Amino acid sequence: MVNTILGRKIGMTQVFDEEDNVVPVTVIQAGPCTVSQVKTKATDGYDAVQIGFGDIKSNRLNKPMAGHFAKAGVEPMRYLREVRVENGEEHNTGDQVTVADFAEVTAVDVTGTSKGKGFQGTIKRWNFSRGPMTHGSRNQRKPGSIGQCAYPARVRKGLHMAGHMGDERVTVKNLKLVRVDAEQNLMLIKGAVPGGKNALVAIRMA
């Protein structure tokens, strides 16, 4: 069984649970994902399947990708991801992974790309505290000392400083799967997930 499905983040809303409590959820249009390649220990040294998601026009493909989809006998897809499985021989190209496979799942791990924030200072990026705002202080939002004097006479690696923030791979684990709508290929997950609207996310059974 493939324990991962690809989807597109639609946005956030809120629903009521069985006890009439308001639950904030993220709505994700997940799948259906098609298996475009199967890898086994005999041929590749490990067991995995390649799943695809999203439509794309055939004239947008380069020749290697067009040949890859033609060999598998599946329609071209915009996104491809490889997922490890226990036994690759149990899967075939053309198999479908849908939200119905997650009907009995209670918790999931969601992986996506966080929103890019551009170049940010240490207060926003690392939650530094600001300096005094009065009495001649000239250190309101400056980072302060970044090293030592004689030894090691350099800035240590990994020091928290200003720089590019966001736009990185983020995984949020053990999120509650509130509801699955198999007819519309929707998944409602409690809380926030990485990325903006229409961002690609991978949902894995926790």
Side-chain angles (χ1 to χ4, degrees), residues 48 51 78 88 95 108 146 169 195 198:
I51 59 175
R78 184 176 296 273
D95 291 349
V108 293
I146 61 172
R169 182 184 174 94
N198 296 320

Side-chain angles (χ1 to χ4, degrees), residues 144-163:
S145 174
I146 61 172
Q148 297 77 33
C149 179
Y151 179 82
R154 59 180 172 83
V155 178
R156 295 184 183 273
K157 291 183 178 180
L159 186 70
H160 287 182
M161 299 176 69

Side-chain angles (χ1 to χ4, degrees), residues 132-144:
M133 300 296 286
T134 57
H135 298 293
S137 172
R138 302 175 66 180
N139 183 27
Q140 277 81 27
R141 298 180 69 91
K142 293 180 181 179

Side-chain angles (χ1 to χ4, degrees), residues 36 61 64-78 80:
S36 56
L61 298 174
M65 292 308 300
H68 177 70
F69 290 120
K71 180 180 178 181
V74 298
E75 292 294 324
M77 291 166 287
R78 184 176 296 273
L80 295 176

Side-chain angles (χ1 to χ4, degrees), residues 14-189:
Q14 56 188 22
V15 296
F16 292 94
D17 61 9
E18 295 79 4
E19 300 176 356
D20 289 337
N21 296 319
V22 176
V23 181
V25 295
T26 300
V27 183
I28 298 176
Q29 181 182 2
C33 296
T34 305
V35 176
S36 56
Q37 186 179 4
V38 177
K39 295 185 177 183
T40 62
K41 289 184 178 179
T43 58
D44 301 278
Y46 65 99
D47 291 304
V49 295
Q50 184 188 79
I51 59 175
F53 171 74
D55 298 328
I56 187 174
K57 294 181 180 179
S58 57
N59 60 2
R60 302 291 295 175
L61 298 174
N62 55 27
K63 287 186 178 180
M65 292 308 300
H68 177 70
F69 290 120
K71 180 180 178 181
V74 298
E75 292 294 324
M77 291 166 287
R78 184 176 296 273
Y79 305 105
L80 295 176
R81 295 293 185 273
E82 187 173 285
V83 180
R84 290 293 187 102
V85 294
E86 293 184 358
N87 188 1
E89 297 179 353
E90 296 178 353
H91 304 274
N92 299 301
T93 56
D95 291 349
Q96 294 279 321
V97 183
T98 64
V99 295
D101 299 333
F102 289 72
E104 304 299 327
V105 177
T106 58
V108 293
D109 300 337
V110 181
T111 301
T113 303
S114 62
K115 291 182 179 180
K117 306 292 184 180
F119 189 98
Q120 298 297 334
T122 53
I123 290 181
K124 181 170 182 177
R125 190 183 186 200
W126 301 112
N127 199 28
F128 278 20
S129 297
R130 63 171 175 78
M133 300 296 286
T134 57
H135 298 293
S137 172
R138 302 175 66 180
N139 183 27
Q140 277 81 27
R141 298 180 69 91
K142 293 180 181 179
S145 174
I146 61 172
Q148 297 77 33
C149 179
Y151 179 82
R154 59 180 172 83
V155 178
R156 295 184 183 273
K157 291 183 178 180
L159 186 70
H160 287 182
M161 299 176 69
H164 185 267
M165 180 180 177
D167 192 24
E168 59 186 4
R169 182 184 174 94
V170 179
T171 299
V172 183
K173 295 186 176 182
N174 291 323
L175 293 176
K176 181 181 179 181
L177 182 57
V178 177
R179 193 175 302 170
V180 173
D181 188 346
E183 295 183 358
Q184 303 185 60
N185 295 318
L186 297 178
M187 301 178 72
L188 275 61
I189 300 174

